[in-house]
Amino acid sequence: MLGRTAQNLFWLSRYVERAENMARLLEVGYRMSLTSRREGGVSEHLISMMQAAEIEEEFAKKERVADVDTVAQFMMFDPENPSSVYNCLLNARTNARTVRTAITSDMWEAINAAWLEFSQIKPHHVRGAKLLGLLEWVKTIGHQFRGALLGTKLRDDGFAFQQAGNFIERADNTARILDMKYYVLLPRARMVGGDLDIQQWSLILRAASAHRSYRHVYHDRYKAHNIADFLILRPEMPRSLVYCAQYVEDNLTTLSKFYGESQSCNEAARQLRAMVENTDMDKIFGLGLHDFLTEFMARADHVSDTLSESYNFY
């Protein structure tokens, strides 16, 4: 497969997953913002959410107050925000159109219809309940595209490139959602274990579509140790870091077998997987949750970079 085709397939899946993940982060930030606000109406939860998404500096350039409406507009519709849902869907459609013959009709229809519908939305109409409805719609688009991918795409090298992109992006997002919780608690350690702390952890689980499955595994109250364990180390949880890392390595192994040689990205993926398989929550909390997540995200980025180099993305 040509490097450009592999690159387009890889980023097609990453952009679709990123659009969904931005919607998940914004939903958590929005719901958390209803619980506490700083003086002047600036929500600490919205700020922490943008810090976790690494878009705070870009937002600061706008010189706007960080209230729900301005942050939502920035994350959903701003063409100058490279991670906005607008740009994610546009870039996903552009990549899909470039490799139209390498994807199925169902995949193309899913992303093309999503972009056409989203491009018709009037941003100033999206507030309050309409914002939450739009966030749910964006998540549904992600489900529809992945359903088309899993249900219609040949299990060839193109499929492996797409799945590697999807799970690198998902791993990064789960780490960012957890890191957002760290930012919220950092200035107020006295909140730990209180009602507000429990509410925030509940929202974190909901953002990862893990609320009911968590209660199925853990029958007690929300506990930071258990929730972090669930989203980091539980291999049966499809958005956990260990699940994503395992899936990334499996797909890169498939590529190495397909092309008959191992690449530097295979070793990077093995190291990422080992990081979350050869640890436990006591070690993670001993190191520091934020430091652990920061290192994990850096290693995930390294996998992506070495994958690009190994297969001549350009």
Side-chain angles (χ1 to χ4, degrees):
M1 177 176 288
L2 293 175
R4 175 56 64 87
T5 301
Q7 177 189 40
N8 287 329
L9 291 172
F10 176 80
W11 281 102
L12 165 57
S13 281
R14 284 203 71 165
Y15 279 125
V16 173
E17 182 73 20
R18 185 173 298 179
E20 179 182 344
N21 292 338
M22 292 300 284
R24 290 177 181 276
L25 272 173
L26 180 55
E27 182 179 4
V28 173
Y30 171 74
R31 293 188 184 279
M32 282 186 173
S33 72
L34 301 179
T35 65
S36 175
R37 292 180 180 276
R38 290 178 178 172
E39 294 180 4
V42 179
S43 169
E44 64 182 15
H45 304 298
L46 293 175
I47 295 295
S48 68
M49 179 264 296
M50 289 192 288
Q51 289 173 332
E54 295 187 353
I55 58 174
E56 184 190 18
E57 291 185 5
E58 289 295 322
F59 180 82
K61 295 177 183 178
K62 300 288 183 178
E63 297 183 349
R64 299 174 183 171
V65 175
D67 57 25
V68 171
D69 290 336
T70 56
V71 171
Q73 294 295 310
F74 179 69
M75 294 186 65
M76 296 295 293
F77 300 105
D78 196 328
E80 296 180 5
N81 173 9
S83 294
S84 68
V85 172
Y86 172 91
N87 275 323
C88 288
L89 293 180
L90 174 60
N91 289 330
R93 181 178 182 268
T94 299
N95 279 280
R97 185 172 56 189
T98 302
V99 291
R100 181 66 183 83
T101 58
I103 61 176
T104 67
S105 296
D106 289 339
M107 293 166 64
W108 166 251
E109 291 299 331
I111 192 60
N112 187 52
W115 166 249
L116 292 176
E117 185 172 349
F118 185 84
S119 64
Q120 297 301 311
I121 297 173
K122 305 297 182 183
H124 60 277
H125 291 164
V126 182
R127 300 174 183 273
K130 289 185 178 180
L131 172 60
L132 291 176
L134 179 59
L135 297 178
E136 286 298 322
W137 177 81
V138 173
K139 289 189 285 185
T140 299
I141 291 303
H143 298 325
Q144 290 175 344
F145 179 80
R146 280 192 300 276
L149 170 66
L150 295 174
T152 65
K153 185 78 171 68
L154 286 174
R155 268 43 176 182
D156 55 8
D157 51 342
F159 179 83
F161 279 118
Q162 287 197 264
Q163 287 294 77
N166 182 82
F167 282 95
I168 287 174
E169 188 69 34
R170 181 176 295 183
D172 182 82
N173 181 72
T174 297
R176 291 183 186 280
I177 288 176
L178 279 168
D179 207 32
M180 177 183 173
K181 176 61 173 160
Y182 166 86
Y183 276 116
V184 170
L185 284 181
L186 183 62
R188 298 185 180 182
R190 65 180 182 278
M191 292 165 48
V192 177
D195 291 339
L196 185 58
D197 181 44
I198 293 172
Q199 180 183 16
Q200 289 169 351
W201 277 117
S202 173
L203 291 173
I204 293 296
L205 286 170
R206 291 181 186 278
S209 295
H211 180 257
R212 292 195 177 188
S213 54
Y214 171 85
R215 297 304 296 268
H216 179 76
V217 174
Y218 300 98
H219 302 289
D220 53 6
R221 298 182 67 192
Y222 299 123
K223 295 180 180 178
H225 185 283
N226 290 347
I227 293 172
D229 175 72
F230 193 61
L231 295 180
I232 295 175
L233 301 180
R234 299 292 295 213
E236 67 271 39
M237 167 55 191
R239 288 187 174 272
S240 71
L241 300 189
V242 69
Y243 182 95
C244 293
Q246 290 170 350
Y247 215 97
V248 168
E249 190 197 359
D250 288 347
N251 278 278
L252 296 191
T253 299
T254 297
L255 287 173
S256 67
K257 292 178 179 178
F258 193 93
Y259 292 108
E261 61 179 331
S262 182
Q263 303 282 356
S264 59
C265 59
N266 294 100
E267 177 58 28
R270 280 192 289 271
Q271 292 178 7
L272 180 71
R273 180 172 181 170
M275 178 183 178
V276 284
E277 285 188 337
N278 301 330
T279 190
D280 55 47
M281 289 314 304
D282 290 337
K283 293 179 181 178
I284 291 174
F285 279 121
L287 172 66
L289 179 61
H290 174 65
D291 291 336
F292 175 86
L293 295 173
T294 299
E295 182 181 354
F296 180 88
M297 287 186 282
R299 292 195 182 196
D301 284 342
H302 181 60
V303 174
S304 181
D305 291 341
T306 54
L307 175 62
S308 299
E309 296 170 359
S310 298
Y311 293 99
N312 300 315
F313 289 4
Y314 58 92

